[in-house]
Amino acid sequence: MNRSPAHRSDRAFAALACLSLVLGPLAARGQERASPLWFQGTRLIFSHAVPLADDLAVPTRDPGMRHFLERLGATVSYDPQQRYVVVTSEDRRSIVFTLGDPTYAIGGVRARAPFAPRADGDDVDLPFFTLARALYVEPLVDGGETVLQPRIGALDVRTDGPHTSVSVTGAMPLVTDGQHDSPERLQLAFVGQGSALGPLRDALGPAVSTIDVAVGGTARVPTTTLTIAGTPGSTHRIVSGPAPDTLIIVFDAPSSGAVAVARTPPTPPPLPAEVGPIGSALTPPPSAEPGPTAAPPIVAGRATVTDLEIAPGADDALSVQVTLSGAVPYTWHRLPDHRWYVDLAEATLTGPGREEHPSFGAVQSVRVAQIGGDDAPAVRIAFTMSADQQVDLAPSASGLTITVSTAPATDLLRAGSGQTGGAPLVASSVMPGPEPTPSAPSGPGSRIIVIDPGHGGDDHGTEHNGLSEKAITLDIADRLRALLLAQGWNVRMTRETDVDPVTAANLARMRADGVANPTDRAYLQTRCDVANDVNARLFISIHVNSAPISSARGTTFYWYKPQDLPFAQALEKSVIPAAATQDDGTRHENFYVIRHTTMPAVLIETAFITNLEDVGLLRQPAFLQRLAQGIANGVKAYAGSPAANAVSQQQ
Amino acid sequence: MVLIALFIVAVGAAWWATHRQAPAVGDSIVVYSTKVDGTTLLPWRVSLGSARDRSSVAFYAATQCVAGPPPSVDAVRFPAGTHVRAVDVEGTTADVDLSPEVDASAAGGFAEAAEFKALVWTLTQPQLGIDAVRVRIGGARVATLPGGHLELDEPLSRASF
């Protein structure tokens, strides 16, 4: 059969077209190779990447994409049956892409990508550079190559009364290269992370004057220096954030009671070599100078350690009983690598130090050493643990009891301080009880009450009229803790700072079980586990209510299990007279934390943040104290005192 | 004449019988909302229009519930923009897919409890033969609303409230 030249020309054109269709993407992929991507000192290699509209289309399961996300601690979830691709950063920000839609959302804020994510088999192509920027990684051209530079991406300043919290969030875990510290000024250098953030000068609250951000180094090895200048007389403390890539620095104005707290130790004992360098950790050493307003109720002279007993505790815990000849202040620190230590200031050992490797418990080693000079002696007790485990401190008139349990740490603060000798605890993220925790019986006779301050961290709860639920619930919880401790209860809190607590185990388990939306459930379950794991006597969840109608007001006591109801009724009878709020009664609701706790549990919605009358109350510290007192009275009415309770159980 | 009369009677009887049984769920349905006290239910009856099969009626009832009662009625309402994306009925369980705007009701236990109580009571009225309601938000199962209190990843029933 003859073919005309025109026909041959058409066939050739068609063949070329087909060839271009096949080779086009390959050529495009080759462009990616022509401009290599570097991240953290190594080349990032994608198996399937296609340049597209000033971005790079990369499947979520591409090995290069996976490596990139893993380095950032981010996770991606995509179900081919759904339209959404959710990337969650280490600090729990969600970046949500929608198939076929170029708009995407970062933490609820909508933005536009150069192209819409597209399905590719059972995977989906995402705009890689857009995603990187959302994760605080900036693509920079350097010498003909593209460098993916991690950055300090957020600087959040919040004021709560005399406290100003500065939250720093980076793309990667924050590692400081030395810090220069004085009570009123903090300078931190973050190596390996750049920044495009500018200085902050205004509206920084009563404790902070300025925040400066300076970037040095190169595109590949940047350094960001953060300098925070406090107001005259202010002091500061560093606490860990909800994730390793977040650091929170709290500055306290001079009138704050916490000022005395942060500067309680009169002299900073240096860190011995065996405890490890702290310059790269997020925990600052104690200040060299007492704060200008440091006037803690401490009358501490020098004391000697007359006895130190290391013994097994209940449930495979380890207990260290320190007996002192006098009262001393102490500070404790949790280091990032499963180490924890407490320094007893102005204390001396009567003999040489010691190091033990107990054959029981979750502690690998215990070291006791004399540190500091003659002018500032201190005794350091340091633990190396197999994980970040719960450490409880119980000061008493005769000294201090330290208990390391096998439970995961719930005290996310990395440092705290206190005092032995029976004086009130001035500050710590631990809950000293009248008795060491391990000796507490479990179940109905348990001496442990768990307080759950609702929300925290990214979960602000309800916010209206200038008030934030998560701050109020923590305030009430702190007050309630003090009252329950005074009653003789051992108290644990599901959170003690502005975080939304979660354990890695819960996150992993929820994901392994295939439970939908595992993150939310894991976070809620963690709160329940704090109580369930110790078989607490009671669980009290504190919240602030909100309603779409401003007339709704009052206090509500929510219960779920039948065993909750008598406790809810007892709280209602005591809280309403104490707080003088409208009694909205007890209500049966399917709320997670009261459903999944195994002991009597009540969720108290204390007042409505949407009602002006209730808001007026919520603004008053005296009202928050009355609420706490009412709850404490209700606990006493329902459960009696812990001592009497224990006796009744024995009988 | 008699035959004609019998024929008319037979046709009439047949029409009456078929039209009496066709709307298996009736011509109207009860939709609940929750009063501003957050717990008392307020029933109101709406016409079904063309909806007749169980899934369609369930979708219609859920949509009416989420839309809320007339503006003059004081009730706890779903957040503005919330709508029902789909309702699937399987056996005695309804699977309701709500739009993400409902997330805004998570602040405080009051609103979310009131809203979902109304929705569950609406869908579990006897004539629908539904006794449990599963909830999705934006097509996804959720443990709770973001920052919310009410457990949503297990079916809700009237006993849940």
Side-chain angles (χ1 to χ4, degrees), chain A residues 308-311 318-322 366 381 383 400-403:
Chain A
L308 192 147
E309 182 182 355
I310 301 173
L318 179 139
S319 172
V320 176
Q321 179 77 46
V322 186
V366 184
I381 304 167
F383 300 90
L400 182 69
T401 299
I402 311 159
T403 304

Side-chain angles (χ1 to χ4, degrees), chain B residues 61-154:
Chain B
T63 298
Q64 289 282 2
C65 176
V66 170
S72 58
V73 178
D74 283 336
V76 179
R77 297 170 187 276
F78 281 85
T82 306
H83 59 276
V84 180
R85 289 158 43 110
V87 177
D88 298 318
V89 181
E90 187 170 329
T92 60
T93 300
D95 191 312
V96 181
D97 186 5
L98 296 174
S99 66
E101 287 86 350
V102 74
D103 288 352
S105 63
F110 177 91
E112 60 176 327
E115 292 159 11
F116 282 93
K117 181 176 184 179
L119 181 63
V120 168
W121 275 68
T122 298
L123 286 171
T124 55
Q125 57 190 287
Q127 71 189 91
L128 285 176
I130 294 168
D131 56 27
V133 178
R134 295 181 67 93
V135 176
R136 284 178 290 149
I137 309 293
R141 296 244 177 268
V142 294
T144 65
L145 298 180
H149 310 67
L150 200 62
E151 183 171 12
L152 296 178
D153 61 353
E154 292 185 16

Side-chain angles (χ1 to χ4, degrees), chain A residues 455 521 587 592 595-596 605, chain B residues 37 109 147 149 151 153-154:
Chain A
H455 310 279
R521 191 180 179 112
R587 292 188 185 176
Y592 192 100
R595 178 171 179 174
H596 291 271
E605 294 280 7
Chain B
D37 66 1
H149 310 67
E151 183 171 12
D153 61 353
E154 292 185 16

